[in-house]
């Protein structure tokens, strides 16, 4: 007798879901509940063939993530990188060991692995005492949207001008993402500008059981109060300060790439103001989710490292042929979209964590100094970034030492918090002479 058995529905990554047993109907096999196929004779004896799924290699109970994957278009979702096992006691590992596993891609062995691990890692994030959770989301969502899942509510104002990536989400997932962001806007009215938030919510939704779980994870990242370890910038001032901080780090740690951009761009500060978009939504999904693995453990400092590694790789990739056009921002975005042609995600992370950076506290202090400079310049609300020409009047610029183009390059070497202000001539030998007494 030839019998074909169906494999059970699987959780992302391979965990089989248990289904309730029903009484078999007439003509059905009592073991599977499926219609029996006509008898076939193979050789001299009947043979029973059962088709099952591949053995799951993931070593952790996935019963809590059986509902995950409902928001995902699985035709777009990349396959896990390789077969492997996540240690059963992974959450009990020391912080250093946990960081090493994340950087090496241990979570990437299984979609179910991330679905199980992400909420547990986020629960470890220190956050404000009163932080909206899944129960609050269900209550607010029911009040805002009612029972129908589709809402005509406008997206919150803090998303204006921010990309809304959907990655591998299906139409149901895109609707869920918008609902989550609307509830974030309702429950966190202090957020005025946050380009990173929609991308993080979209990535986490791929591995969430439902909207409420995704919302709770996003809320904890927003409400994080760990010292010097923020996750999400929530104002234009904070975002611009992070852009300035990246510019300072690029000047110090990627001098060759910095010179390349400064020589090609009229305003290097404007190029660096888009550094976060290189990561989200710039990177392909497989790269972005690997960045998320380490970001949940180490915070925003990881994003600086990855972006600096991308900048270094960009310089290496364009060096032989040189820059192809005048729009350096567009070339950077195109390079990041096609990053898989230049470097693997493992090699990119290896180079990122090979950069000798400041400590988390020192980066935080640099951000605070940049915030102070922006406030002194009056830049506290969403507005266009001040250009190089506002600080140095190129129309009336003259020098016997440097050309205007050279001055633009010299100006790019100055820490961004100082380059916001016009230069003031303090001493000139042609005017003040060469006397040491003077």
């Amino acid at each position: 007798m030839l019998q074909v058995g169906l494999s059970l529905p699987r959780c992302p990554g391979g965990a089989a879901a248990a289904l309730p047993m029903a009484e078999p109907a007439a003509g059905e096999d009592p073991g599977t509940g499926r219609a029996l196929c006509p008898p076939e004779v193979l050789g001299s004896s009947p043979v029973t063939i059962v088709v099952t799924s591949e053995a799951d290699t993931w070593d952790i109970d996935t019963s809590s993530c059986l509902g995950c994957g409902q928001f995902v278009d699985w035709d777009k979702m990349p396959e896990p990188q390789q077969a492997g096992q996540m240690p059963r006691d992974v959450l009990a590992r020391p912080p250093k060991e946990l960081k090493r596993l994340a950087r090496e891609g241990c979570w990437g062995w299984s979609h179910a692995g991330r679905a199980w691990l992400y909420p547990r890692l986020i629960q470890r994030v220190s956050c404000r005492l009163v932080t909206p959770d899944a129960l609050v989301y269900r209550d607010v969502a029911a009040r805002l949207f009612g029972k129908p899942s589709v809402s005509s509510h406008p997206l919150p104002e803090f998303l204006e001008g921010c990309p809304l990536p959907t990655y591998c989400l299906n139409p149901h997932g895109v609707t869920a993402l918008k609902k989550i962001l609307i509830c974030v806007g309702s429950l966190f009215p202090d957020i005025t500008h946050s380009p990173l938030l929609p991308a993080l919510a979209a990535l986490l939704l791929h591995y969430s059981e439902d909207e409420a779980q995704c919302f709770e994870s996003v809320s904890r990242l927003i409400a994080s109060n760990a010292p010097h370890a923020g996750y999400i910038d929530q104002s234009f001032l904070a975002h611009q300060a992070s852009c300035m901080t990246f510019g300072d780090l690029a000047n110090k740690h990627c001098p060759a790439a910095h010179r390349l951009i400064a020589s090609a761009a009229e305003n290097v500060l404007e190029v660096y103001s888009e550094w976060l978009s290189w990561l989200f939504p710039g990177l392909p999904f497989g790269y972005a989710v690997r960045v998320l693995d380490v970001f949940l453990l180490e915070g925003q400092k990881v994003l600086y490292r990855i972006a600096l590694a991308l900048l270094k790789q960009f310089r290496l990739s364009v060096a032989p042929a040189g820059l192809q056009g005048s729009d350096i921002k567009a070339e950077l975005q195109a390079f990041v979209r096609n990053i898989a042609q230049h470097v693997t995600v493992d090699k990119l992370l290896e180079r990122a964590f090979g950069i000798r950076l400041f400590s988390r506290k020192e980066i935080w202090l640099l951000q605070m100094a940049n915030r102070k400079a922006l406030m002194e310049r009056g830049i506290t609300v969403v507005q266009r970034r001040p250009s190089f020409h506002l600080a140095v009047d190129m129309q009336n610029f003259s020098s016997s030492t440097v050309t205007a183009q050279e001055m633009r390059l010299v100006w790019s070497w100055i820490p961004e918090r100082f380059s916001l202000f016009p230069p003031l001539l303090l001493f000139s030998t042609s005017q003040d002479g060469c006397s040491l007494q003077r």
Side-chain angles (χ1 to χ4, degrees):
M1 183 70 67
L2 177 66
Q3 175 184 322
V4 179
L6 288 180
S7 60
L8 295 177
R10 294 170 61 80
C11 174
L19 297 179
M21 297 298 294
E23 289 295 324
E28 291 184 346
D29 181 86
T32 64
R34 306 301 297 173
L36 294 176
C37 298
E40 299 286 349
V41 177
L42 302 177
S44 58
S45 61
V47 177
T48 300
I49 300 176
V50 180
V51 180
T52 61
S53 58
E54 297 178 2
D56 189 11
T57 57
W58 198 49
D59 198 31
I60 294 180
D61 177 22
T62 58
S63 58
S64 64
C65 69
L66 293 177
C68 298
Q70 60 176 310
F71 305 111
V72 176
D73 182 347
W74 289 101
D75 292 332
K76 298 180 181 178
M77 195 75 160
E79 291 296 322
Q81 296 172 350
Q82 55 185 337
Q85 290 187 345
M86 185 185 297
R88 186 176 294 273
D89 62 340
V90 62
L91 291 176
R93 299 294 180 95
K96 271 192 174 181
E97 176 76 3
L98 203 57
K99 289 179 183 180
R100 182 186 64 80
L101 291 173
R103 293 176 184 182
E104 292 176 356
C106 182
W107 313 165
W109 291 337
S110 166
H111 295 311
R114 287 192 174 104
W116 181 88
L117 193 61
Y118 278 178
R120 288 161 176 79
L121 289 178
I122 294 173
Q123 284 297 320
R124 293 182 165 196
V125 173
S126 173
C127 60
R128 297 192 292 265
L129 184 61
V130 181
T131 300
D133 58 10
L135 291 176
V136 172
Y137 174 82
R138 293 188 180 99
D139 179 64
V140 172
R143 176 165 45 84
L144 287 177
F145 312 119
K147 291 186 178 180
S149 59
V150 179
S151 170
S152 59
H153 286 259
L155 291 174
E157 291 184 4
F158 70 78
L159 291 179
E160 185 176 354
C162 301
L164 185 64
T166 57
Y167 295 109
C168 303
L169 294 177
N170 57 29
H172 175 49
V174 174
T175 300
L177 174 63
K178 292 178 179 178
K179 290 171 64 179
I180 291 167
L181 293 173
I182 290 170
C183 287
V184 167
S186 175
L187 292 167
F188 292 91
D190 292 341
I191 300 178
T192 57
H193 187 74
S194 185
L196 180 60
L197 197 153
L200 287 182
L203 289 172
L204 289 171
L205 191 57
H206 288 71
Y207 303 100
S208 297
E209 293 182 19
D210 54 23
E211 299 169 17
Q213 185 190 63
C214 180
F215 171 84
E216 181 170 331
S217 296
V218 172
S219 293
R220 293 190 67 85
L221 296 179
I222 293 172
S224 168
N225 60 3
H228 318 312
Y231 284 89
I232 303 175
D233 292 331
Q234 300 166 42
S235 69
F236 182 77
L237 179 63
H239 173 64
Q240 287 298 302
S242 71
C243 293
M244 293 172 64
T245 299
F246 177 77
D248 292 334
L249 295 175
N251 190 7
K252 178 177 180 179
H253 297 282
C254 308
H258 180 75
R259 285 195 300 271
L260 175 70
I261 291 178
S263 62
E266 184 175 333
N267 186 356
V268 66
L269 309 184
E270 190 174 335
V271 175
Y272 290 150
S273 70
E274 297 189 1
W275 75 278
L276 204 54
S277 68
W278 304 346
L279 307 176
F280 310 109
L283 287 173
F285 178 83
Y287 283 69
V289 78
R290 283 290 299 276
V291 175
L292 182 62
D293 290 345
V294 288
F295 172 75
L296 294 179
L297 279 172
E298 304 185 48
Q300 201 177 47
K301 186 176 76 168
V302 165
L303 304 184
Y304 288 114
R305 285 187 172 276
I306 304 296
L308 288 175
L310 286 171
L311 193 60
K312 283 190 171 187
Q313 186 62 42
F314 174 73
R315 203 273 304 179
L316 292 174
S317 300
V318 303
L323 294 173
Q324 300 301 312
S326 58
D327 193 347
I328 184 68
K329 292 192 293 184
E331 290 202 30
L332 269 165
Q333 292 288 359
F335 168 78
V336 172
R337 281 196 305 270
N338 301 300
I339 187 64
Q341 300 176 11
H342 304 281
V343 64
T344 65
V345 64
D346 290 303
K347 181 59 69 173
L348 179 66
L349 291 174
E350 179 184 327
R351 291 175 180 173
F353 289 104
I355 299 173
R356 296 178 63 86
L357 264 182
F358 305 119
S359 69
R360 183 182 286 111
K361 181 178 179 181
E362 288 171 314
I363 289 181
W364 179 80
L365 291 173
L366 187 58
Q367 286 178 320
M368 292 300 102
N370 286 328
R371 284 175 66 121
K372 181 180 178 182
L374 286 166
M375 293 175 69
E376 289 177 357
R377 188 67 189 263
I379 304 170
T380 57
V381 296
V382 177
Q383 62 190 75
R384 189 177 182 275
R385 183 73 178 275
S387 70
F388 170 82
H389 298 293
L390 294 180
V392 179
D393 185 1
M394 298 304 294
Q395 299 295 328
N396 300 316
F397 176 79
S398 64
S399 171
S400 59
T401 308
V402 294
T403 65
Q405 178 64 23
E406 289 170 337
M407 182 58 185
R408 186 176 288 116
L409 179 61
V410 169
W411 199 252
S412 74
W413 297 338
I414 301 173
E416 290 211 18
R417 61 186 180 279
F418 302 129
S419 66
L420 289 173
F421 301 91
L424 177 65
L425 179 64
L426 297 179
F427 173 82
S428 169
T429 55
S430 62
Q431 297 179 19
D432 304 310
C434 302
S435 170
L436 292 178
Q437 293 180 348
R438 297 180 62 183

